Amino acid sequence: MEQLGERLRRYRREARKTLLEVAREAGLSVGFLSQAERNLSGVSLSSLANIARALNVPLRLLIDQPEQRSPDSHAGRRRRYSTIDRGQSYERLSSTFPGSQINAVKMSLPVGYRSESVTHDGDEFVYVLSGKVCYCVDGIDYLLQPGDSLHFDGRQQHHLANVGEVAVEVVSVGTLPIFDDIAAAPAP
């Protein structure tokens, strides 16, 4: 099975773009993108959405995400998925329907996790379920613990890190399209 890095490299080459061109268009560093293509670094969903846009391909070609056709989502029934096997994983919480604008995931981040620095269009809202996480947004650190939340403009440079001694669980809701499956038909 083709790993994420191999998919990134293949679609970049098919688009006839250099690492520098894709990195610049996706708002990432060349070094980070190179590591991602070699499966040496995990990639956040927001960075993958930016890369997909730079490559002019649907996000679903880069990562296999579970569909969420039903408007309800239940603990223990959601399929976990990851961008790369570095310990972080996601559970899809929201469905897609014509006109939907928000996308929600539950993120599980291992001890020591640190994301790449990224910018993207839209709002981002996070709510911490467990652990300690530090979000750095536009150069300002926000230390968040269970019950804390943060809402910010995704166009500001931001990254996050698990700064505690246990895994972190965070609900992230945003307007950046991270699910591009075919929208479910509206209920009659």
Side-chain angles (χ1 to χ4, degrees), residues 27-118:
L28 301 166
S29 74
V30 173
F32 173 77
L33 189 56
S34 174
Q35 287 184 341
E37 282 193 359
R38 292 179 286 140
N39 293 306
L40 299 176
S41 178
V43 184
S44 70
L45 290 177
S46 54
S47 289
L48 275 179
N50 287 344
I51 293 168
R53 188 171 32 252
L55 296 175
N56 199 31
V57 298
L59 182 58
R60 68 181 169 274
L61 293 180
L62 300 180
I63 182 173
D64 297 320
Q65 293 178 308
E67 288 189 352
Q68 176 65 35
R69 293 203 176 264
S70 177
D72 57 336
S73 170
H74 299 274
R77 295 187 200 165
R78 293 184 290 264
R79 194 180 99 212
R80 285 182 177 242
Y81 65 101
S82 181
T83 58
I84 192 170
D85 189 20
R86 295 276 185 257
Q88 77 266 29
S89 65
Y90 303 92
E91 290 180 38
R92 183 171 176 171
L93 302 176
S94 61
S95 60
T96 303
F97 53 86
S100 65
Q101 296 181 25
I102 64 167
N103 299 282
V105 294
K106 179 176 153 187
M107 303 186 300
S108 298
L109 310 171
V111 174
Y113 174 85
R114 181 178 173 87
S115 75
E116 69 278 15
S117 190
V118 67

